[in-house]
Amino acid sequence: MRIGILTSGGDCPGLNAVIRGAVLKGTEINDQEFVGFKDGWRGVVAGDIRPLERSDVRGIAKQGGTILGTSRTNPFEGNGGPERIQETLDRLGIDAIIAIGGEGTLAAAKRLTDAGLKIVGVPKTVDNDLDATDYTFGFDTAVEIATEAMDRLRTTGDSHSRCMVAEVMGRHVGWIALHSGMAAGAHAILIPEQKTSMEQVAAWVRSAADRGRAPLVVVAEGFTPDHADDAHSERGLDAFGRPRLGGIGERLAPMIEEMTGIETRATTLGHIQRGGVPTAYDRVLATRLGMAASDIVQDGSWGRMVALRGTEIETVGFEEALGKLKTVPQHRYDEAAMLFG
C-alpha cells in the first residue's frame, strides 16, 4: 500500500516525530510505502509530493517544524474537491492519506472521507483543544516555552516594579495559559472559559503589588473581558473562515496601568511557543501516534484518528474529535484561582 502523509495548519513541535513513527512502523512492519505531500492540502490538490523512505526520516524526531512544509490551504477551494483529489491520488498511485493537523485539517479530512476518500488522522495542536484526545503533541512544548519566557519576564518585572502581561496562544481555550501560568506562579490567569471583569484583574494586580511583588498576568489570546462580546481579532480570517486572534495583551496593559497606577508592559509570545525542538514527552507521544496511524491504515479504518486516552493510544471517529472543543473545566480553573493576587 502506498500512503501519502501531509502536515496541515499551524506548525507544531513533534510533527517530524509523527512522520518518522509512521514511516518506520509502516516500512518495517506493515509493508507500506510512503510519500509526503508538500505544504499540507496544497500538495494534495496539486499532486506535489516527495519520497519518504527510512533514510529521509533519520534523526528528524528531535527537529521542530515539519520537513514536509505546511499551509492553511482549504482542499475544497480552487482546483480542489473530492473528485479532483481522488483523480490526483489515482494518477500518483497513492492508496490512502494520513492527515496530521488540528481542527480545520481534521474537519476537511472528515468531509473528504465522507465523499469516499481513504483518510486517517493524527491530531495536532499546541492548543490542546481537541475533545477526543487527552493531550495533543506540541502542547507540552508550548507550555515549557511559555513558562520559561514568563520566568524571564518576572526578573525584569521585579527589577522595575512593573506589572508584566504575557499573552499566550490557545485560540478559544485556555490550556496553555492555565498550565504555564500555574508553573510560572502568575498572579492572574485570564482564559476564554472565564468571563472576568477588569476590576477583578486590577484587584489581583494590586494585591500582588501590596505584598511587594511585581505582578504577572497571563492572558490567553482568546480571552474576552466581561465588558466585551468577542475575542480580540484584528488580522482577519484564515482559509477556513476562522478569526486570527491576538493582541489582547496590548489592550489590557494600559487598562491595568490606568486602574492600578502600576507601570504595565505587555509581551505577546506568539509563534515562539510552537518553534524549536519538541520536549521528550512530545517526541514520545508523537512517535506513538505516528506508529498507530500506520496500523489503522493497515486495518482500513478510514475516517478515524489516533488519540491518547490515559496512557494508551486508541482510535476514535473524526466526528468525535470535531464535536466540541475541549475547554478548561471549572474545577481546574478554581484550583489555579486560589493562587491569584
Side-chain angles (χ1 to χ4, degrees):
M1 180 176 286
R2 195 172 198 226
I3 303 166
I5 301 180
L6 67 92
T7 54
S8 179
D11 65 302
C12 173
L15 284 168
N16 287 324
V18 177
I19 297 168
R20 175 177 173 272
V23 171
L24 293 185
K25 181 70 177 287
T27 56
E28 297 302 308
I29 303 298
N30 290 332
D31 194 27
Q32 295 165 340
E33 177 186 352
F34 291 87
V35 296
F37 291 107
K38 297 180 181 179
D39 303 328
W41 290 117
R42 184 203 67 79
V44 177
V45 173
D48 192 1
I49 61 174
R50 55 161 289 180
L52 278 181
E53 298 180 359
R54 179 160 190 155
S55 59
D56 297 305
V57 300
R58 184 187 316 146
I60 67 170
K62 61 181 179 292
Q63 296 178 18
T66 165
I67 63 169
L68 298 179
T70 186
S71 70
R72 296 192 184 275
T73 300
N74 188 329
F76 291 90
E77 295 182 350
N79 294 322
E83 292 183 0
R84 292 294 299 273
I85 291 175
Q86 186 62 62
E87 291 174 1
T88 300
L89 297 180
D90 293 341
R91 174 172 56 83
L92 297 172
I94 296 174
D95 303 297
I97 294 175
I98 295 177
I100 310 169
E103 182 186 11
T105 301
L106 296 177
K110 182 184 184 304
R111 287 182 62 189
L112 292 171
T113 303
D114 291 343
L117 276 69
K118 297 178 178 179
I119 305 176
V120 302
V122 178
K124 176 276 320 171
T125 169
V126 296
D127 304 327
N128 197 40
D129 61 357
L130 289 173
D131 194 51
T133 184
D134 289 349
Y135 283 97
T136 49
F137 67 88
F139 171 69
D140 186 71
T141 303
V143 169
E144 190 71 25
I145 292 170
T147 302
E148 181 181 352
M150 291 171 199
D151 289 345
R152 294 173 184 272
L153 288 175
R154 300 274 314 248
T155 62
T156 187
D158 288 340
S159 297
H160 295 271
S161 299
R162 289 173 176 158
C163 173
M164 306 301 288
V165 178
E167 179 184 322
V168 299
M169 286 181 168
R171 290 196 58 77
H172 298 293
V173 302
W175 288 108
I176 295 178
L178 182 76
H179 280 234
S180 60
M182 287 187 72
H187 300 102
I189 300 173
L190 310 178
I191 63 175
E193 294 88 340
Q194 296 287 326
K195 283 276 191 177
T196 307
S197 69
M198 289 307 302
E199 289 75 18
Q200 177 63 79
V201 175
W204 284 328
V205 168
R206 282 193 292 264
S207 175
D210 289 346
R211 291 183 293 107
R213 306 303 304 276
L216 172 65
V217 177
V218 178
V219 58
E221 63 184 357
F223 169 71
T224 305
D226 68 349
H227 65 268
D229 295 324
D230 299 305
H232 182 66
S233 174
E234 56 190 21
R235 294 178 292 169
L237 305 177
D238 65 17
F240 294 95
R242 302 172 304 181
R244 293 187 175 98
L245 303 180
I248 184 63
E250 293 288 352
R251 294 285 297 273
L252 294 181
M255 288 191 252
I256 293 172
E257 183 166 334
E258 181 179 355
M259 295 177 73
T260 65
I262 300 170
E263 186 179 6
T264 305
R265 294 286 188 271
T267 298
T268 301
L269 300 185
H271 290 78
I272 193 174
Q273 293 161 90
R274 62 189 195 203
V277 299
T279 60
Y281 179 88
D282 278 340
R283 296 183 204 186
V284 172
L285 175 58
T287 299
R288 295 179 69 201
L289 292 173
M291 296 170 68
S294 169
D295 288 338
I296 64 173
V297 168
Q298 193 74 359
D299 294 338
S301 299
W302 316 123
R304 299 184 68 79
M305 73 169 206
V306 291
L308 180 69
R309 295 286 178 83
T311 59
E312 300 301 319
I313 305 297
E314 300 180 2
T315 67
V316 299
F318 284 149
E319 64 280 356
E320 189 173 345
L322 300 169
K324 63 177 181 177
L325 290 177
K326 183 177 67 184
T327 56
V328 174
Q330 186 66 46
H331 73 275
R332 288 295 309 276
Y333 184 77
D334 291 342
E335 288 175 350
M338 292 177 59
L339 307 174
F340 295 173

